PDB file of all heavy atoms in Angstrom:
ATOM      1  N   ASP V  97      86.941 120.664  82.229  1.00 98.00           N
ATOM      2  CA  ASP V  97      86.377 121.166  80.965  1.00 98.00           C
ATOM      3  C   ASP V  97      87.338 122.228  80.408  1.00 98.00           C
ATOM      4  O   ASP V  97      87.640 123.310  81.068  1.00 98.00           O
ATOM      5  CB  ASP V  97      85.033 121.860  81.263  1.00 98.00           C
ATOM      6  CG  ASP V  97      84.236 122.180  80.048  1.00 98.00           C
ATOM      7  OD1 ASP V  97      84.875 122.662  79.021  1.00 98.00           O
ATOM      8  OD2 ASP V  97      83.011 122.004  79.954  1.00 98.00           O
ATOM      9  N   MET V  98      87.814 122.048  79.194  1.00 98.00           N
ATOM     10  CA  MET V  98      88.846 122.862  78.635  1.00 98.00           C
ATOM     11  C   MET V  98      88.260 124.343  78.255  1.00 98.00           C
ATOM     12  O   MET V  98      89.001 125.328  78.173  1.00 98.00           O
ATOM     13  CB  MET V  98      89.416 122.279  77.388  1.00 98.00           C
ATOM     14  CG  MET V  98      90.402 121.081  77.648  1.00 98.00           C
ATOM     15  SD  MET V  98      91.295 120.394  76.338  1.00 98.00           S
ATOM     16  CE  MET V  98      90.030 119.644  75.475  1.00 98.00           C
ATOM     17  N   SER V  99      86.976 124.324  78.037  1.00 97.00           N
ATOM     18  CA  SER V  99      86.214 125.633  77.740  1.00 97.00           C
ATOM     19  C   SER V  99      86.197 126.643  78.857  1.00 97.00           C
ATOM     20  O   SER V  99      86.219 127.780  78.637  1.00 97.00           O
ATOM     21  CB  SER V  99      84.854 125.372  77.179  1.00 97.00           C
ATOM     22  OG  SER V  99      84.047 124.905  78.158  1.00 97.00           O
ATOM     23  N   ASP V 100      86.104 126.121  80.136  1.00 97.00           N
ATOM     24  CA  ASP V 100      85.855 127.066  81.199  1.00 97.00           C
ATOM     25  C   ASP V 100      86.638 126.708  82.480  1.00 97.00           C
ATOM     26  O   ASP V 100      86.509 127.391  83.477  1.00 97.00           O
ATOM     27  CB  ASP V 100      84.406 127.232  81.520  1.00 97.00           C
ATOM     28  CG  ASP V 100      83.699 125.996  81.911  1.00 97.00           C
ATOM     29  OD1 ASP V 100      84.339 124.975  82.198  1.00 97.00           O
ATOM     30  OD2 ASP V 100      82.393 125.981  81.995  1.00 97.00           O
ATOM     31  N   GLY V 101      87.295 125.657  82.445  1.00 98.00           N
ATOM     32  CA  GLY V 101      88.143 125.264  83.638  1.00 98.00           C
ATOM     33  C   GLY V 101      87.268 124.432  84.697  1.00 98.00           C
ATOM     34  O   GLY V 101      87.934 124.031  85.737  1.00 98.00           O
ATOM     35  N   THR V 102      86.078 124.187  84.464  1.00 98.00           N
ATOM     36  CA  THR V 102      85.330 123.593  85.532  1.00 98.00           C
ATOM     37  C   THR V 102      85.876 122.175  85.676  1.00 98.00           C
ATOM     38  O   THR V 102      86.076 121.388  84.687  1.00 98.00           O
ATOM     39  CB  THR V 102      83.789 123.412  85.072  1.00 98.00           C
ATOM     40  OG1 THR V 102      83.286 124.670  84.917  1.00 98.00           O
ATOM     41  CG2 THR V 102      83.051 122.552  86.076  1.00 98.00           C
ATOM     42  N   THR V 103      86.174 121.832  86.960  1.00 97.00           N
ATOM     43  CA  THR V 103      86.824 120.440  87.412  1.00 97.00           C
ATOM     44  C   THR V 103      85.834 119.637  88.171  1.00 97.00           C
ATOM     45  O   THR V 103      85.395 120.116  89.149  1.00 97.00           O
ATOM     46  CB  THR V 103      88.249 120.742  87.976  1.00 97.00           C
ATOM     47  OG1 THR V 103      89.058 121.516  87.156  1.00 97.00           O
ATOM     48  CG2 THR V 103      88.836 119.416  88.366  1.00 97.00           C
ATOM     49  N   THR V 104      85.831 118.356  87.833  1.00 97.00           N
ATOM     50  CA  THR V 104      84.947 117.450  88.585  1.00 97.00           C
ATOM     51  C   THR V 104      85.709 116.240  89.027  1.00 97.00           C
ATOM     52  O   THR V 104      86.503 115.748  88.225  1.00 97.00           O
ATOM     53  CB  THR V 104      83.863 117.039  87.692  1.00 97.00           C
ATOM     54  OG1 THR V 104      83.179 118.049  87.214  1.00 97.00           O
ATOM     55  CG2 THR V 104      82.834 116.007  88.421  1.00 97.00           C
ATOM     56  N   LEU V 105      85.591 115.845  90.337  1.00 96.00           N
ATOM     57  CA  LEU V 105      86.130 114.644  90.806  1.00 96.00           C
ATOM     58  C   LEU V 105      85.365 113.460  90.339  1.00 96.00           C
ATOM     59  O   LEU V 105      84.183 113.421  90.606  1.00 96.00           O
ATOM     60  CB  LEU V 105      86.159 114.651  92.412  1.00 96.00           C
ATOM     61  CG  LEU V 105      86.659 113.423  93.100  1.00 96.00           C
ATOM     62  CD1 LEU V 105      88.064 112.999  92.619  1.00 96.00           C
ATOM     63  CD2 LEU V 105      86.606 113.555  94.590  1.00 96.00           C
ATOM     64  N   MET V 106      85.980 112.697  89.554  1.00 97.00           N
ATOM     65  CA  MET V 106      85.235 111.536  88.933  1.00 97.00           C
ATOM     66  C   MET V 106      84.974 110.419  89.990  1.00 97.00           C
ATOM     67  O   MET V 106      85.625 110.290  91.059  1.00 97.00           O
ATOM     68  CB  MET V 106      86.025 110.947  87.755  1.00 97.00           C
ATOM     69  CG  MET V 106      86.279 112.053  86.635  1.00 97.00           C
ATOM     70  SD  MET V 106      87.165 111.316  85.244  1.00 97.00           S
ATOM     71  CE  MET V 106      86.037 110.238  84.530  1.00 97.00           C
ATOM     72  N   THR V 107      84.046 109.545  89.681  1.00 98.00           N
ATOM     73  CA  THR V 107      83.515 108.464  90.632  1.00 98.00           C
ATOM     74  C   THR V 107      84.019 107.139  90.083  1.00 98.00           C
ATOM     75  O   THR V 107      83.742 106.844  88.867  1.00 98.00           O
ATOM     76  CB  THR V 107      82.115 108.587  90.741  1.00 98.00           C
ATOM     77  OG1 THR V 107      81.713 109.854  91.340  1.00 98.00           O
ATOM     78  CG2 THR V 107      81.582 107.472  91.643  1.00 98.00           C
ATOM     79  N   TYR V 108      84.619 106.275  90.851  1.00 98.00           N
ATOM     80  CA  TYR V 108      84.999 104.883  90.637  1.00 98.00           C
ATOM     81  C   TYR V 108      83.813 104.056  91.085  1.00 98.00           C
ATOM     82  O   TYR V 108      83.313 104.083  92.214  1.00 98.00           O
ATOM     83  CB  TYR V 108      86.207 104.669  91.363  1.00 98.00           C
ATOM     84  CG  TYR V 108      86.746 103.227  91.121  1.00 98.00           C
ATOM     85  CD1 TYR V 108      86.655 102.592  89.841  1.00 98.00           C
ATOM     86  CD2 TYR V 108      87.139 102.401  92.202  1.00 98.00           C
ATOM     87  CE1 TYR V 108      87.142 101.247  89.794  1.00 98.00           C
ATOM     88  CE2 TYR V 108      87.602 101.142  92.098  1.00 98.00           C
ATOM     89  CZ  TYR V 108      87.591 100.621  90.870  1.00 98.00           C
ATOM     90  OH  TYR V 108      87.955  99.186  90.710  1.00 98.00           O
ATOM     91  N   SER V 109      83.383 103.329  90.030  1.00 97.00           N
ATOM     92  CA  SER V 109      82.214 102.263  90.301  1.00 97.00           C
ATOM     93  C   SER V 109      82.876 100.927  90.463  1.00 97.00           C
ATOM     94  O   SER V 109      83.483 100.432  89.460  1.00 97.00           O
ATOM     95  CB  SER V 109      81.255 102.393  89.115  1.00 97.00           C
ATOM     96  OG  SER V 109      80.126 101.408  89.316  1.00 97.00           O
ATOM     97  N   ILE V 110      82.613 100.175  91.575  1.00 95.00           N
ATOM     98  CA  ILE V 110      83.200  98.918  91.729  1.00 95.00           C
ATOM     99  C   ILE V 110      82.198  98.086  92.558  1.00 95.00           C
ATOM    100  O   ILE V 110      81.712  98.400  93.629  1.00 95.00           O
ATOM    101  CB  ILE V 110      84.502  99.003  92.554  1.00 95.00           C
ATOM    102  CG1 ILE V 110      85.002  97.512  92.754  1.00 95.00           C
ATOM    103  CG2 ILE V 110      84.450  99.819  93.797  1.00 95.00           C
ATOM    104  CD1 ILE V 110      86.556  97.551  93.351  1.00 95.00           C
ATOM    105  N   ASN V 111      81.831  96.907  91.840  1.00 92.00           N
ATOM    106  CA  ASN V 111      80.899  95.984  92.532  1.00 92.00           C
ATOM    107  C   ASN V 111      79.626  96.580  92.905  1.00 92.00           C
ATOM    108  O   ASN V 111      79.063  96.227  94.016  1.00 92.00           O
ATOM    109  CB  ASN V 111      81.667  95.217  93.618  1.00 92.00           C
ATOM    110  CG  ASN V 111      82.882  94.473  93.363  1.00 92.00           C
ATOM    111  OD1 ASN V 111      82.919  93.857  92.314  1.00 92.00           O
ATOM    112  ND2 ASN V 111      83.791  94.494  94.271  1.00 92.00           N
ATOM    113  N   GLY V 112      79.163  97.472  92.022  1.00 90.00           N
ATOM    114  CA  GLY V 112      77.821  98.126  92.264  1.00 90.00           C
ATOM    115  C   GLY V 112      77.996  99.232  93.361  1.00 90.00           C
ATOM    116  O   GLY V 112      76.944  99.860  93.612  1.00 90.00           O
ATOM    117  N   ASN V 113      79.026  99.554  93.763  1.00 95.00           N
ATOM    118  CA  ASN V 113      79.394 100.673  94.802  1.00 95.00           C
ATOM    119  C   ASN V 113      80.109 101.737  94.099  1.00 95.00           C
ATOM    120  O   ASN V 113      80.810 101.494  93.085  1.00 95.00           O
ATOM    121  CB  ASN V 113      80.097 100.154  96.015  1.00 95.00           C
ATOM    122  CG  ASN V 113      79.201  99.164  96.748  1.00 95.00           C
ATOM    123  OD1 ASN V 113      78.004  99.231  96.911  1.00 95.00           O
ATOM    124  ND2 ASN V 113      79.905  98.028  97.164  1.00 95.00           N
ATOM    125  N   SER V 114      80.043 102.940  94.690  1.00 97.00           N
ATOM    126  CA  SER V 114      80.660 104.041  94.118  1.00 97.00           C
ATOM    127  C   SER V 114      81.561 104.675  95.198  1.00 97.00           C
ATOM    128  O   SER V 114      81.258 104.842  96.316  1.00 97.00           O
ATOM    129  CB  SER V 114      79.600 105.151  93.585  1.00 97.00           C
ATOM    130  OG  SER V 114      79.001 104.574  92.532  1.00 97.00           O
ATOM    131  N   GLN V 115      82.747 105.168  94.736  1.00 96.00           N
ATOM    132  CA  GLN V 115      83.650 105.781  95.621  1.00 96.00           C
ATOM    133  C   GLN V 115      84.515 106.800  94.924  1.00 96.00           C
ATOM    134  O   GLN V 115      84.531 106.744  93.648  1.00 96.00           O
ATOM    135  CB  GLN V 115      84.522 104.905  96.375  1.00 96.00           C
ATOM    136  CG  GLN V 115      85.456 103.929  95.440  1.00 96.00           C
ATOM    137  CD  GLN V 115      86.067 102.837  96.157  1.00 96.00           C
ATOM    138  OE1 GLN V 115      85.394 101.994  97.023  1.00 96.00           O
ATOM    139  NE2 GLN V 115      87.331 102.578  95.941  1.00 96.00           N
ATOM    140  N   ASP V 116      85.074 107.661  95.614  1.00 95.00           N
ATOM    141  CA  ASP V 116      85.843 108.701  94.904  1.00 95.00           C
ATOM    142  C   ASP V 116      87.309 108.488  94.703  1.00 95.00           C
ATOM    143  O   ASP V 116      88.145 109.189  94.088  1.00 95.00           O
ATOM    144  CB  ASP V 116      85.793 110.220  95.636  1.00 95.00           C
ATOM    145  CG  ASP V 116      86.219 110.014  97.034  1.00 95.00           C
ATOM    146  OD1 ASP V 116      87.080 109.061  97.311  1.00 95.00           O
ATOM    147  OD2 ASP V 116      86.093 111.022  97.741  1.00 95.00           O
ATOM    148  N   TYR V 117      87.749 107.186  94.931  1.00 96.00           N
ATOM    149  CA  TYR V 117      89.085 106.922  94.675  1.00 96.00           C
ATOM    150  C   TYR V 117      89.252 105.429  94.129  1.00 96.00           C
ATOM    151  O   TYR V 117      88.347 104.625  94.336  1.00 96.00           O
ATOM    152  CB  TYR V 117      89.992 106.876  95.996  1.00 96.00           C
ATOM    153  CG  TYR V 117      89.710 105.929  96.968  1.00 96.00           C
ATOM    154  CD1 TYR V 117      90.237 104.688  97.089  1.00 96.00           C
ATOM    155  CD2 TYR V 117      88.686 106.174  98.010  1.00 96.00           C
ATOM    156  CE1 TYR V 117      89.944 103.681  98.030  1.00 96.00           C
ATOM    157  CE2 TYR V 117      88.288 105.204  98.980  1.00 96.00           C
ATOM    158  CZ  TYR V 117      88.912 104.005  98.920  1.00 96.00           C
ATOM    159  OH  TYR V 117      88.589 102.988  99.814  1.00 96.00           O
ATOM    160  N   ILE V 118      90.477 105.060  93.628  1.00 97.00           N
ATOM    161  CA  ILE V 118      90.775 103.773  93.074  1.00 97.00           C
ATOM    162  C   ILE V 118      92.108 103.337  93.562  1.00 97.00           C
ATOM    163  O   ILE V 118      93.002 104.156  93.787  1.00 97.00           O
ATOM    164  CB  ILE V 118      90.716 103.703  91.451  1.00 97.00           C
ATOM    165  CG1 ILE V 118      90.969 102.287  90.952  1.00 97.00           C
ATOM    166  CG2 ILE V 118      91.645 104.753  90.842  1.00 97.00           C
ATOM    167  CD1 ILE V 118      90.771 102.196  89.448  1.00 97.00           C
ATOM    168  N   THR V 119      92.277 102.019  93.857  1.00 96.00           N
ATOM    169  CA  THR V 119      93.548 101.554  94.177  1.00 96.00           C
ATOM    170  C   THR V 119      94.145 100.706  92.892  1.00 96.00           C
ATOM    171  O   THR V 119      93.272 100.352  92.127  1.00 96.00           O
ATOM    172  CB  THR V 119      93.522 100.663  95.492  1.00 96.00           C
ATOM    173  OG1 THR V 119      92.563  99.529  95.141  1.00 96.00           O
ATOM    174  CG2 THR V 119      93.056 101.429  96.611  1.00 96.00           C
ATOM    175  N   GLY V 120      95.335 100.476  92.999  1.00 96.00           N
ATOM    176  CA  GLY V 120      95.893  99.604  91.953  1.00 96.00           C
ATOM    177  C   GLY V 120      96.472 100.323  90.721  1.00 96.00           C
ATOM    178  O   GLY V 120      97.016  99.653  89.826  1.00 96.00           O
ATOM    179  N   LEU V 121      96.546 101.654  90.831  1.00 97.00           N
ATOM    180  CA  LEU V 121      97.131 102.442  89.659  1.00 97.00           C
ATOM    181  C   LEU V 121      98.706 102.733  89.893  1.00 97.00           C
ATOM    182  O   LEU V 121      99.223 103.375  89.143  1.00 97.00           O
ATOM    183  CB  LEU V 121      96.456 103.796  89.506  1.00 97.00           C
ATOM    184  CG  LEU V 121      94.968 103.635  88.969  1.00 97.00           C
ATOM    185  CD1 LEU V 121      94.288 104.945  88.650  1.00 97.00           C
ATOM    186  CD2 LEU V 121      94.838 102.627  87.878  1.00 97.00           C
ATOM    187  N   GLY V 122      99.178 102.240  91.055  1.00 96.00           N
ATOM    188  CA  GLY V 122     100.498 102.463  91.320  1.00 96.00           C
ATOM    189  C   GLY V 122     100.991 103.929  91.295  1.00 96.00           C
ATOM    190  O   GLY V 122     100.194 104.813  91.938  1.00 96.00           O
ATOM    191  N   HIS V 123     101.980 104.291  90.676  1.00 95.00           N
ATOM    192  CA  HIS V 123     102.425 105.667  90.484  1.00 95.00           C
ATOM    193  C   HIS V 123     101.582 106.570  89.457  1.00 95.00           C
ATOM    194  O   HIS V 123     101.636 107.684  89.567  1.00 95.00           O
ATOM    195  CB  HIS V 123     103.874 105.693  90.163  1.00 95.00           C
ATOM    196  CG  HIS V 123     104.516 107.052  90.408  1.00 95.00           C
ATOM    197  ND1 HIS V 123     104.845 107.361  91.710  1.00 95.00           N
ATOM    198  CD2 HIS V 123     104.995 107.907  89.623  1.00 95.00           C
ATOM    199  CE1 HIS V 123     105.508 108.706  91.610  1.00 95.00           C
ATOM    200  NE2 HIS V 123     105.496 109.048  90.412  1.00 95.00           N
ATOM    201  N   ALA V 124     100.765 105.847  88.698  1.00 97.00           N
ATOM    202  CA  ALA V 124      99.924 106.484  87.790  1.00 97.00           C
ATOM    203  C   ALA V 124     100.625 107.593  86.956  1.00 97.00           C
ATOM    204  O   ALA V 124     100.081 108.678  86.920  1.00 97.00           O
ATOM    205  CB  ALA V 124      98.696 106.947  88.429  1.00 97.00           C
ATOM    206  N   ASN V 125     101.743 107.343  86.437  1.00 97.00           N
ATOM    207  CA  ASN V 125     102.652 108.385  85.886  1.00 97.00           C
ATOM    208  C   ASN V 125     102.150 109.046  84.629  1.00 97.00           C
ATOM    209  O   ASN V 125     102.543 110.146  84.331  1.00 97.00           O
ATOM    210  CB  ASN V 125     104.099 107.853  85.666  1.00 97.00           C
ATOM    211  CG  ASN V 125     105.011 108.918  85.756  1.00 97.00           C
ATOM    212  OD1 ASN V 125     105.157 109.406  86.943  1.00 97.00           O
ATOM    213  ND2 ASN V 125     105.882 109.174  84.790  1.00 97.00           N
ATOM    214  N   ASP V 126     101.326 108.241  83.795  1.00 98.00           N
ATOM    215  CA  ASP V 126     100.865 108.846  82.571  1.00 98.00           C
ATOM    216  C   ASP V 126      99.517 108.218  82.169  1.00 98.00           C
ATOM    217  O   ASP V 126      99.281 107.083  82.583  1.00 98.00           O
ATOM    218  CB  ASP V 126     101.932 108.688  81.594  1.00 98.00           C
ATOM    219  CG  ASP V 126     101.773 109.659  80.337  1.00 98.00           C
ATOM    220  OD1 ASP V 126     100.944 110.562  80.375  1.00 98.00           O
ATOM    221  OD2 ASP V 126     102.521 109.507  79.299  1.00 98.00           O
ATOM    222  N   ILE V 127      98.858 108.766  81.289  1.00 98.00           N
ATOM    223  CA  ILE V 127      97.544 108.309  80.694  1.00 98.00           C
ATOM    224  C   ILE V 127      97.504 108.327  79.129  1.00 98.00           C
ATOM    225  O   ILE V 127      97.952 109.362  78.572  1.00 98.00           O
ATOM    226  CB  ILE V 127      96.332 109.149  81.262  1.00 98.00           C
ATOM    227  CG1 ILE V 127      96.513 109.313  82.740  1.00 98.00           C
ATOM    228  CG2 ILE V 127      95.078 108.550  80.908  1.00 98.00           C
ATOM    229  CD1 ILE V 127      95.514 110.342  83.235  1.00 98.00           C
ATOM    230  N   ALA V 128      96.947 107.320  78.524  1.00 98.00           N
ATOM    231  CA  ALA V 128      96.563 107.325  77.052  1.00 98.00           C
ATOM    232  C   ALA V 128      95.168 107.281  77.046  1.00 98.00           C
ATOM    233  O   ALA V 128      94.474 106.469  77.708  1.00 98.00           O
ATOM    234  CB  ALA V 128      97.276 106.244  76.374  1.00 98.00           C
ATOM    235  N   LEU V 129      94.491 108.027  76.268  1.00 98.00           N
ATOM    236  CA  LEU V 129      93.053 107.941  75.850  1.00 98.00           C
ATOM    237  C   LEU V 129      92.698 107.347  74.572  1.00 98.00           C
ATOM    238  O   LEU V 129      93.537 107.405  73.674  1.00 98.00           O
ATOM    239  CB  LEU V 129      92.457 109.357  75.881  1.00 98.00           C
ATOM    240  CG  LEU V 129      92.628 110.351  77.117  1.00 98.00           C
ATOM    241  CD1 LEU V 129      91.925 111.704  76.811  1.00 98.00           C
ATOM    242  CD2 LEU V 129      92.020 109.669  78.351  1.00 98.00           C
ATOM    243  N   MET V 130      91.620 106.621  74.523  1.00 98.00           N
ATOM    244  CA  MET V 130      91.166 105.945  73.334  1.00 98.00           C
ATOM    245  C   MET V 130      89.711 105.846  73.326  1.00 98.00           C
ATOM    246  O   MET V 130      89.094 105.634  74.336  1.00 98.00           O
ATOM    247  CB  MET V 130      91.695 104.558  73.197  1.00 98.00           C
ATOM    248  CG  MET V 130      91.522 103.832  71.953  1.00 98.00           C
ATOM    249  SD  MET V 130      91.929 102.051  71.928  1.00 98.00           S
ATOM    250  CE  MET V 130      90.733 101.333  72.965  1.00 98.00           C
ATOM    251  N   SER V 131      89.109 105.946  72.124  1.00 96.00           N
ATOM    252  CA  SER V 131      87.712 105.689  71.959  1.00 96.00           C
ATOM    253  C   SER V 131      87.605 104.498  71.066  1.00 96.00           C
ATOM    254  O   SER V 131      88.364 104.269  70.133  1.00 96.00           O
ATOM    255  CB  SER V 131      86.981 106.966  71.345  1.00 96.00           C
ATOM    256  OG  SER V 131      87.428 107.214  70.167  1.00 96.00           O
ATOM    257  N   ASN V 132      86.554 103.690  71.251  1.00 95.00           N
ATOM    258  CA  ASN V 132      86.389 102.458  70.491  1.00 95.00           C
ATOM    259  C   ASN V 132      84.926 102.118  70.378  1.00 95.00           C
ATOM    260  O   ASN V 132      84.407 101.825  71.563  1.00 95.00           O
ATOM    261  CB  ASN V 132      87.231 101.272  70.908  1.00 95.00           C
ATOM    262  CG  ASN V 132      87.111 100.112  70.141  1.00 95.00           C
ATOM    263  OD1 ASN V 132      87.024 100.167  68.844  1.00 95.00           O
ATOM    264  ND2 ASN V 132      87.029  98.921  70.681  1.00 95.00           N
ATOM    265  N   GLY V 133      84.292 102.053  69.263  1.00 92.00           N
ATOM    266  CA  GLY V 133      82.938 101.692  69.247  1.00 92.00           C
ATOM    267  C   GLY V 133      81.939 102.494  70.177  1.00 92.00           C
ATOM    268  O   GLY V 133      80.950 101.950  70.579  1.00 92.00           O
ATOM    269  N   GLY V 134      82.312 103.767  70.228  1.00 95.00           N
ATOM    270  CA  GLY V 134      81.516 104.650  71.099  1.00 95.00           C
ATOM    271  C   GLY V 134      81.683 104.625  72.494  1.00 95.00           C
ATOM    272  O   GLY V 134      80.981 105.281  73.353  1.00 95.00           O
ATOM    273  N   ASN V 135      82.694 103.808  72.913  1.00 97.00           N
ATOM    274  CA  ASN V 135      83.197 103.740  74.319  1.00 97.00           C
ATOM    275  C   ASN V 135      84.463 104.481  74.466  1.00 97.00           C
ATOM    276  O   ASN V 135      85.334 104.554  73.525  1.00 97.00           O
ATOM    277  CB  ASN V 135      83.243 102.287  74.777  1.00 97.00           C
ATOM    278  CG  ASN V 135      81.949 101.503  74.602  1.00 97.00           C
ATOM    279  OD1 ASN V 135      80.974 102.043  75.180  1.00 97.00           O
ATOM    280  ND2 ASN V 135      82.010 100.307  74.078  1.00 97.00           N
ATOM    281  N   TYR V 136      84.763 104.893  75.721  1.00 98.00           N
ATOM    282  CA  TYR V 136      85.859 105.722  75.988  1.00 98.00           C
ATOM    283  C   TYR V 136      86.711 105.069  77.178  1.00 98.00           C
ATOM    284  O   TYR V 136      86.122 104.664  78.060  1.00 98.00           O
ATOM    285  CB  TYR V 136      85.368 107.176  76.434  1.00 98.00           C
ATOM    286  CG  TYR V 136      84.687 107.791  75.318  1.00 98.00           C
ATOM    287  CD1 TYR V 136      83.349 107.777  75.199  1.00 98.00           C
ATOM    288  CD2 TYR V 136      85.429 108.618  74.358  1.00 98.00           C
ATOM    289  CE1 TYR V 136      82.654 108.382  74.158  1.00 98.00           C
ATOM    290  CE2 TYR V 136      84.749 109.251  73.327  1.00 98.00           C
ATOM    291  CZ  TYR V 136      83.370 109.071  73.193  1.00 98.00           C
ATOM    292  OH  TYR V 136      82.670 109.800  72.187  1.00 98.00           O
ATOM    293  N   TYR V 137      88.088 105.140  76.918  1.00 98.00           N
ATOM    294  CA  TYR V 137      88.941 104.429  77.743  1.00 98.00           C
ATOM    295  C   TYR V 137      90.179 105.228  78.175  1.00 98.00           C
ATOM    296  O   TYR V 137      90.555 106.035  77.288  1.00 98.00           O
ATOM    297  CB  TYR V 137      89.475 103.106  77.124  1.00 98.00           C
ATOM    298  CG  TYR V 137      88.300 102.191  76.656  1.00 98.00           C
ATOM    299  CD1 TYR V 137      87.753 102.194  75.368  1.00 98.00           C
ATOM    300  CD2 TYR V 137      87.751 101.250  77.544  1.00 98.00           C
ATOM    301  CE1 TYR V 137      86.789 101.315  75.039  1.00 98.00           C
ATOM    302  CE2 TYR V 137      86.693 100.428  77.239  1.00 98.00           C
ATOM    303  CZ  TYR V 137      86.155 100.403  75.949  1.00 98.00           C
ATOM    304  OH  TYR V 137      85.197  99.684  75.568  1.00 98.00           O
ATOM    305  N   MET V 138      90.767 104.972  79.427  1.00 98.00           N
ATOM    306  CA  MET V 138      92.047 105.462  79.737  1.00 98.00           C
ATOM    307  C   MET V 138      92.960 104.210  79.980  1.00 98.00           C
ATOM    308  O   MET V 138      92.483 103.383  80.605  1.00 98.00           O
ATOM    309  CB  MET V 138      91.825 106.213  81.089  1.00 98.00           C
ATOM    310  CG  MET V 138      91.019 107.478  81.176  1.00 98.00           C
ATOM    311  SD  MET V 138      91.046 108.150  82.821  1.00 98.00           S
ATOM    312  CE  MET V 138      89.620 109.080  82.802  1.00 98.00           C
ATOM    313  N   TYR V 139      94.112 104.302  79.615  1.00 98.00           N
ATOM    314  CA  TYR V 139      95.217 103.326  79.851  1.00 98.00           C
ATOM    315  C   TYR V 139      96.166 104.086  80.661  1.00 98.00           C
ATOM    316  O   TYR V 139      96.777 105.154  80.329  1.00 98.00           O
ATOM    317  CB  TYR V 139      95.850 102.910  78.639  1.00 98.00           C
ATOM    318  CG  TYR V 139      94.975 101.921  77.742  1.00 98.00           C
ATOM    319  CD1 TYR V 139      94.131 102.538  76.799  1.00 98.00           C
ATOM    320  CD2 TYR V 139      95.002 100.581  77.850  1.00 98.00           C
ATOM    321  CE1 TYR V 139      93.323 101.755  75.974  1.00 98.00           C
ATOM    322  CE2 TYR V 139      94.159  99.850  77.076  1.00 98.00           C
ATOM    323  CZ  TYR V 139      93.302 100.424  75.993  1.00 98.00           C
ATOM    324  OH  TYR V 139      92.452  99.631  75.319  1.00 98.00           O
ATOM    325  N   VAL V 140      96.455 103.581  81.858  1.00 98.00           N
ATOM    326  CA  VAL V 140      97.342 104.164  83.025  1.00 98.00           C
ATOM    327  C   VAL V 140      98.515 103.304  83.157  1.00 98.00           C
ATOM    328  O   VAL V 140      98.410 102.088  83.407  1.00 98.00           O
ATOM    329  CB  VAL V 140      96.560 104.411  84.278  1.00 98.00           C
ATOM    330  CG1 VAL V 140      97.435 105.098  85.221  1.00 98.00           C
ATOM    331  CG2 VAL V 140      95.297 105.191  83.945  1.00 98.00           C
ATOM    332  N   VAL V 141      99.747 103.925  82.923  1.00 98.00           N
ATOM    333  CA  VAL V 141     101.015 103.140  83.449  1.00 98.00           C
ATOM    334  C   VAL V 141     101.160 103.355  84.875  1.00 98.00           C
ATOM    335  O   VAL V 141     101.211 104.348  85.395  1.00 98.00           O
ATOM    336  CB  VAL V 141     102.218 103.656  82.590  1.00 98.00           C
ATOM    337  CG1 VAL V 141     102.261 103.074  81.240  1.00 98.00           C
ATOM    338  CG2 VAL V 141     102.303 105.084  82.582  1.00 98.00           C
TER     339      VAL V 141
END
């Protein structure tokens, strides 16, 4: 949160289960954000 610095570990939802990590992002060197039709996305290189 940019207003107060509160930081939350996000949850990955896969096949109806939840976990605190994701595989398949490789080096995950950068992120682009986008909103579309009220939905929010991250694109990760």
Side-chain angles (χ1 to χ4, degrees):
D97 190 320
M98 290 187 285
S99 67
D100 61 11
T102 300
T103 297
T104 304
L105 174 59
M106 299 180 70
T107 301
Y108 176 44
S109 178
I110 178 172
N111 299 325
N113 299 313
S114 296
Q115 57 192 47
D116 58 14
Y117 68 89
I118 180 174
T119 59
L121 296 188
H123 199 70
N125 209 62
D126 203 6
I127 310 168
L129 301 180
M130 185 189 75
S131 61
N132 182 43
N135 297 314
Y136 297 91
Y137 303 94
M138 300 180 199
Y139 291 86
V140 182
V141 284

